[in-house]
Amino acid sequence: MMPRNANVVKISYNDLVTACSNEDSSSSVDDLIEQAFGKANSSSLGIIAITDIPSLPSLRTKLLPLAPKLAALPPQQLEEITAPESQYQVGWSHGREKLEGDKLDFSKGSYYANPLTDDLVESMLQRRRYNAASQLGDGDNDNDESHVHGKQQMEELLKWDESLNQIQNEEELRQLASANPAFFAPNVWPTKSLPELENSLKEMGQLIHRVGVYLAKCCDSYVAARCPGYKPNTLESILLHSKCCKARLLHYFAKDDTSDSSNNNNNVDDGDNNNSGIADDTQFSSWCGWHNDHGSLTGLVPAMYHDENGNIVQCPDEDAGLYIKSRNGDLVGPVKLPENALAFQVGETMQVHTGGWLHATPHAVRGCKKGGISRSTFAVFMEPEYHSSMDLPAGRSVSDTQCEEAEKSLPKTVRTLRSRWKLGMNFGEFSEATFAAFH
């Protein structure tokens, strides 16, 4: 199967902000969201680029060169920032993830951290204490405009936080966190071995989050205009209020064998799958296997390539990089992004919350054929908190959310959404099912 060129839909940052501040002027952005994410467009890639973002190039140059430095730390120092109790969802992870079959992935190393809070549990506890105090009445009569605005924001957050109704007290929350460390474990920073990483990662992660909130608001408008049962501001509220945000700094190791950049998975059995190109899919996943993101929205920084000495270089292989399967099964790539742009991809949770009006798409990363070339990038997975509902909009069904026809176009190694998500689940339960499938 030969890939077709990736024509990624682009929206300028200024146009995105304008569309969010003046909904009457957002029709052009609405059309672009349809092209990139929409259910009605079977060739949509599930990815969009936000261009001309202020400060992005400098933050990218500051953060991405730290990926090979981190990966090259001595084993003892990497062990200090490894958290096996979190199912390797915090700190350093290498060779722990399974994406294609049962094979562990050693082609890349990852560092995970939450860019919004160092301790998710403590953030939730502070919210709970504020809620308790407000119910008792704190006697605060401060009418300062900024104070009133902040109080309104907090009240909106408390209405959104479903854990307040499901967790009775602080001890119960701590017990839940202890039982689900992959979700709640606090950040682990290399404060001695690579101290500059913390600030650089947080700056970039928070920028991606801010842009993601703008994009989510426009996606809300798009879905609400087409889905009568859709609750307004669903996506924006999730991204705006949730402190559950996972950043991932990735370093793809250089290939030793320059003759073949495939994963050597030519023995994949197509079985009953009707996609005749499945065996060829593995040619495009040597650096990262085919998968869907399971969160709401993923923000992605344009990749950077390095030679054996750590110098930044242009990738010498024009076929290396990110590949995507469109909803109708077309293979597309490699995706090329300008350095001043962030890419955003729909996750499966957003697919559920919109009842299938926006669709996640499988993607993979093809390695560089030339030896000695490594790749670094950075992704931020924006998602709900543990207790957030995974319900469909009124009037939408499971088959609307992932139709069988779309499932036939998935690479064989990508688990279907319906195999991990069931009606009545919360996001934490869906996440646990997904972690179990890939780790």
Side-chain angles (χ1 to χ4, degrees), residues 138-352:
D138 58 8
D140 190 349
N141 295 316
D142 191 343
N143 291 320
D144 176 76
E145 183 177 343
S146 61
H147 176 84
V148 172
H149 179 65
K151 196 169 183 178
Q152 289 174 341
Q153 287 184 318
M154 178 57 75
E155 289 172 353
E156 291 176 4
L157 170 58
L158 296 178
K159 290 178 182 177
W160 172 85
D161 185 359
E162 297 181 56
S163 74
L164 295 175
N165 300 320
Q166 299 179 39
I167 295 291
Q168 298 302 312
N169 50 52
E170 291 190 8
E171 181 59 29
E172 189 175 336
L173 177 58
R174 293 186 187 279
Q175 290 175 357
L176 176 71
S178 178
N180 297 275
F183 209 95
F184 291 99
N187 288 338
V188 180
W189 297 104
T191 51
K192 295 180 180 179
S193 53
L194 199 63
E196 62 268 37
L197 176 61
E198 179 176 354
N199 185 60
S200 297
L201 186 149
K202 286 181 175 178
E203 282 187 311
M204 178 64 87
Q206 290 168 17
L207 172 65
I208 294 172
H209 178 260
R210 288 195 299 273
V211 179
V213 171
Y214 284 129
L215 180 57
K217 184 173 184 177
C218 291
C219 289
D220 275 326
S221 298
Y222 170 84
V223 178
R226 292 157 177 80
C227 181
Y230 186 72
K231 184 178 178 181
N233 306 319
T234 295
L235 304 177
E236 181 191 15
S237 294
I238 290 171
L239 268 63
L240 186 63
H241 295 317
S242 175
K243 290 293 185 181
C244 184
C245 185
K246 186 76 70 175
R248 185 180 188 182
L249 182 65
L250 297 119
H251 182 65
Y252 299 83
F253 295 101
K255 295 293 178 183
D256 294 327
D257 181 4
T258 61
S259 64
D260 181 11
S261 65
S262 74
N263 263 346
N264 295 319
N265 285 344
N266 294 327
N267 61 345
V268 173
D269 179 10
D270 287 351
D272 295 329
N273 197 304
N274 293 328
N275 186 350
S276 60
I278 284 292
D280 293 334
D281 288 343
T282 57
Q283 299 176 21
F284 302 92
S285 60
S286 53
W287 259 343
C288 182
W290 288 100
H291 65 287
N292 281 343
D293 293 341
H294 88 280
S296 297
L297 187 67
T298 302
L300 188 65
V301 174
M304 184 177 286
Y305 293 84
H306 313 270
D307 65 17
E308 292 172 313
N309 298 315
N311 299 313
I312 300 171
V313 297
Q314 294 295 316
C315 181
D317 180 2
E318 63 180 12
D319 294 327
L322 178 67
Y323 284 77
I324 298 172
K325 274 291 194 79
S326 70
R327 288 180 51 243
N328 61 13
D330 287 346
L331 178 65
V332 180
V335 173
K336 305 292 185 183
L337 297 172
E339 293 182 2
N340 68 348
L342 291 171
F344 288 87
Q345 292 179 282
V346 174
E348 291 172 326
T349 296
M350 183 179 284
Q351 184 172 328
V352 170

Side-chain angles (χ1 to χ4, degrees), residues 336-382:
K336 305 292 185 183
L337 297 172
E339 293 182 2
N340 68 348
L342 291 171
F344 288 87
Q345 292 179 282
V346 174
E348 291 172 326
T349 296
M350 183 179 284
Q351 184 172 328
V352 170
H353 283 147
T354 63
W357 280 102
L358 304 180
H359 252 270
T361 49
H363 46 282
V365 180
R366 185 176 191 172
C368 180
K369 295 188 182 76
K370 180 177 173 56
I373 301 296
S374 62
R375 179 182 190 261
S376 299
T377 189
F378 182 70
V380 175
F381 305 95
M382 293 159 274

